[in-house]
């Protein structure tokens, strides 16, 4: 098997068609010193243990970026809780176990900031994990991601593997999901304001009160953080990741109301913005403490305003915001 110091390790990016996986593939391709291995869902169902075992047995994988996941916003998490916990648990369990069985020493598991308690002290440090109740709207997804962290830690302790974990904040950027009901907040708002601008609608109503505070990170910044973390010497990573994982964020936050204004600006929407307090807000505030990853030398580079404008331009150019009924947008 290839070692970390060899010129072209075989790197499996699980979930390469998703926003995070595709960003990691772009970053690896730009670096140019790896053989990138990808499979579509039709070619490899990560929820099927036998398929995962057969894949690792035949492909001689050296490194894994585990970015595959069932993801969505508040509406999707509330509507499909069984799928969110089952599929994400299955993906983590099957891939991490097979990676160990077939000699993969280097794996990066991608989690989410929703692993933390709903009312965690802000900004949220890594040691806040499991210190309080989760946000009910995404608890099934969060529990699956917590299990992934524990899997990596357990295999590291028992078998000496080098499985690492990154917990990103709320993400946006190229390749996002703009489904009118199952998207996250930024693509959902981009969809709403784009449709309103296209249809000449004079008023857009946003879910919730607009008061919750959120932190957002461009997905290309996350990809750079992932490659950075995988390249760290083991002792340096362990010294920074004292709790088995590292937060990855932008070290900035914005209210949903202010975010809506920035999205309106990016899309050229000229109308008014209102808020619907009958809809859930979710966690009132969620900002990550990123001192640990900063201590390793990594910093984000994409500012939110510029990132939103570029994300919108690319979504329009790629046809991801083709007309859909505004009334069904969440």
């Amino acid at each position: 098997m290839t070692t970390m110091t060899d010129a072209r390790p075989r790197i499996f990016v699980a979930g390469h068609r998703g926003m995070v996986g595709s960003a990691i593939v772009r970053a690896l391709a730009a670096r140019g010193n790896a053989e990138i291995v990808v499979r579509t869902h039709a070619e490899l169902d990560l929820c099927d243990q036998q398929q995962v075992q057969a894949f690792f047995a035949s492909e001689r994988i050296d490194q894994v970026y585990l970015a595959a996941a069932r993801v969505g916003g508040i509406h999707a998490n509330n509507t499909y809780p069984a799928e969110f916990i089952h599929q994400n648990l299955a993906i983590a369990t099957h891939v991490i176990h097979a990676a160990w069985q077939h000699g993969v020493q280097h794996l990066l598991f991608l989690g989410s900031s929703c692993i933390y308690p709903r009312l965690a002290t802000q900004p949220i440090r890594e040691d806040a994990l499991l210190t309080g109740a989760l946000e009910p709207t995404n608890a099934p997804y969060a529990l699956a991601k917590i299990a992934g962290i524990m899997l990596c830690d357990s295999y590291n302790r028992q078998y000496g593997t080098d499985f690492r974990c990154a917990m990103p904040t709320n993400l946006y950027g190229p390749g996002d999901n703009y489904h009118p009901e199952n998207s996250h907040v930024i693509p959902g708002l981009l969809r709403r304001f784009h449709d309103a601008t296209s249809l000449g609608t004079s008023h857009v109503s946003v879910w919730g009160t607009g008061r919750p505070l959120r932190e957002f990170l461009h997905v290309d910044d996350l990809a750079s953080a992932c490659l950075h973390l995988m390249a760290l010497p083991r002792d340096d990573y362990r010294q920074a990741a004292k709790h088995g994982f590292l937060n990855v964020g932008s070290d900035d936050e914005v209210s949903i109301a202010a975010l809506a204004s920035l999205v309106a600006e990016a899309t050229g929407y000229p109308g008014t913005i209102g808020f619907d307090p009958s809809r859930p807000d979710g966690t009132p505030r969620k900002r990550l403490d990123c001192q640990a990853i900063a201590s390793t030398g990594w910093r984000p580079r994409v500012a939110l305003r510029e990132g939103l404008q570029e994300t919108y331009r690319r979504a329009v150019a790629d046809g991801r915001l083709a007309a859909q009924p505004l009334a069904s947008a969440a």
Side-chain angles (χ1 to χ4, degrees):
M1 180 160 294
T2 312
T3 67
M4 287 284 283
T5 57
D6 288 333
R8 288 181 59 82
R10 286 175 57 79
I11 301 179
F12 175 44
V13 181
H16 74 285
R17 286 186 166 178
M19 180 173 62
V20 175
S22 61
I24 292 172
V25 168
R26 289 195 300 273
L28 288 170
R31 194 174 66 177
N33 63 344
E35 185 177 351
I36 303 170
V37 180
V38 296
R39 293 290 186 276
T40 66
H41 177 76
E43 294 168 330
L44 174 61
D45 181 358
L46 298 178
C47 291
D48 186 314
Q49 186 176 28
Q50 290 185 335
Q51 289 188 34
V52 174
Q53 286 286 343
F55 169 79
F56 277 93
S58 64
E59 291 299 325
R60 299 179 294 103
I61 299 300
D62 299 302
Q63 300 177 33
V64 175
Y65 287 86
L66 183 41
R70 173 72 179 261
V71 298
I74 292 175
H75 176 83
N77 275 271
N78 272 335
T79 306
Y80 310 109
E83 283 83 356
F84 271 80
I85 191 167
H86 171 254
Q87 292 178 17
N88 286 299
L89 279 173
I91 290 168
T93 302
H94 296 162
V95 174
I96 291 169
H97 184 69
W100 162 71
Q101 281 193 313
H102 296 282
V104 176
Q105 286 294 310
H106 306 282
L107 177 148
L108 182 68
F109 174 73
L110 273 296
S112 166
S113 58
C114 72
I115 63 170
Y116 290 114
R118 181 177 189 273
L119 299 178
T121 300
Q122 306 286 323
I124 309 172
R125 303 189 318 186
E126 287 89 347
D127 61 5
L129 183 66
L130 299 177
T131 60
L134 297 169
E135 162 60 37
T137 56
N138 57 24
Y141 176 76
L143 284 167
K145 289 301 181 181
I146 292 170
I149 296 170
M150 298 302 175
L151 279 165
C152 290
D153 179 67
S154 298
Y155 281 82
N156 288 343
R157 288 193 293 118
Q158 186 170 343
Y159 297 117
T161 52
D162 190 4
F163 294 171
R164 306 178 180 191
C165 301
M167 297 300 118
T169 190
N170 302 288
L171 301 170
Y172 72 100
D176 212 339
N177 166 31
Y178 293 90
H179 189 279
E181 293 183 349
N182 296 335
S183 59
H184 285 108
V185 60
I186 283 182
L189 288 175
L190 285 170
R191 157 67 59 193
R192 271 190 169 274
F193 284 102
H194 172 81
D195 287 350
T197 302
S198 300
L199 297 172
T201 305
S202 61
H203 181 79
V204 169
S205 180
V206 178
W207 272 33
T209 64
R211 292 192 295 267
L213 297 171
R214 292 291 183 271
E215 175 185 24
F216 295 97
L217 180 72
H218 194 280
V219 71
D220 287 342
D221 275 337
L222 174 61
S224 75
C226 290
L227 270 62
H228 171 80
L229 290 178
M230 282 286 264
L232 285 177
R234 180 183 291 210
D235 289 346
D236 291 352
Y237 172 79
R238 288 183 174 178
Q239 182 176 358
K242 293 181 174 62
H243 302 280
F245 62 96
L246 288 170
N247 289 338
V248 184
S250 62
D251 201 28
D252 196 7
E253 65 183 346
V254 63
S255 71
I256 296 300
L259 175 66
S261 295
L262 287 172
V263 172
E265 175 187 320
T267 59
Y269 171 71
T272 61
I273 304 172
F275 297 89
D276 181 0
S278 70
R279 300 289 191 172
D281 268 338
T283 303
R285 187 184 184 199
K286 189 168 62 173
R287 178 183 177 185
L288 297 183
D289 184 318
C290 296
Q291 293 183 69
I293 191 171
S295 72
T296 70
W298 179 83
R299 297 288 190 282
R301 294 189 292 182
V302 182
L304 181 59
R305 174 178 270 106
E306 291 73 20
L308 287 172
Q309 292 171 352
E310 177 60 22
T311 296
Y312 178 65
R313 285 194 293 268
R314 292 185 65 166
V316 171
D318 294 344
R320 289 181 174 268
L321 285 167
Q324 295 190 36
L326 180 63
S328 65

